[in-house]
Amino acid sequence: MIVLSYTKKDKFLKKNFGQHFGNFANGGLGGVMQGLSMSNSLVNSGKLGFQIGKRFASSLGSYYMENQMSYVLKANFYGLESKGAAAKMGVSAGKSLFNALMYSFK
């Protein structure tokens, strides 16, 4: 059995199939949301400054939703396990900003 490196074996084994599947599905959904937040008809319209702002905001929002869902899944559905949430969102904000800039100046 493969045990993910960030969790303890007993905690990993307590999770049901839905939680294991949910973690992988959440990652896939997060990737789709990031792709759509960078290139869709809404963010591609308007002046360059507004495009950057819309890409940044939608990317940061999708990171936030993905992080919140992963907290719910990792906590066995008994509330949020949001240890390190501020640091994770800080990194996500940086990634969102640089991705928005990269896509806007391609």
Side-chain angles (χ1 to χ4, degrees), residues 28-94:
L29 180 61
V32 169
M33 290 188 311
Q34 283 303 312
L36 290 174
S37 70
M38 290 296 148
S39 182
N40 64 52
S41 60
L42 178 65
V43 299
N44 290 334
S45 64
K47 295 188 181 221
L48 181 62
F50 287 119
Q51 287 181 9
I52 293 170
K54 289 185 284 187
R55 284 187 174 111
F56 173 73
S58 62
S59 175
L60 191 59
S62 65
Y63 273 125
Y64 178 78
M65 289 181 355
E66 182 182 2
N67 289 339
Q68 291 302 312
M69 191 60 199
S70 78
Y71 296 143
V72 169
L73 289 166
K74 288 178 181 177
N76 288 331
F77 303 103
Y78 298 124
L80 297 180
E81 192 177 88
S82 58
K83 187 172 159 184
K88 192 179 272 191
M89 283 310 296
V91 170
S92 297

Side-chain angles (χ1 to χ4, degrees), residues 7-36:
T7 188
K8 294 183 179 181
K9 185 177 181 179
D10 59 335
K11 189 174 180 183
F12 180 84
L13 294 174
K14 286 181 185 176
K15 296 183 187 300
N16 60 37
F17 176 76
Q19 291 166 300
H20 290 293
F21 178 76
N23 278 322
F24 291 107
N26 187 43
L29 180 61
V32 169
M33 290 188 311
Q34 283 303 312
L36 290 174

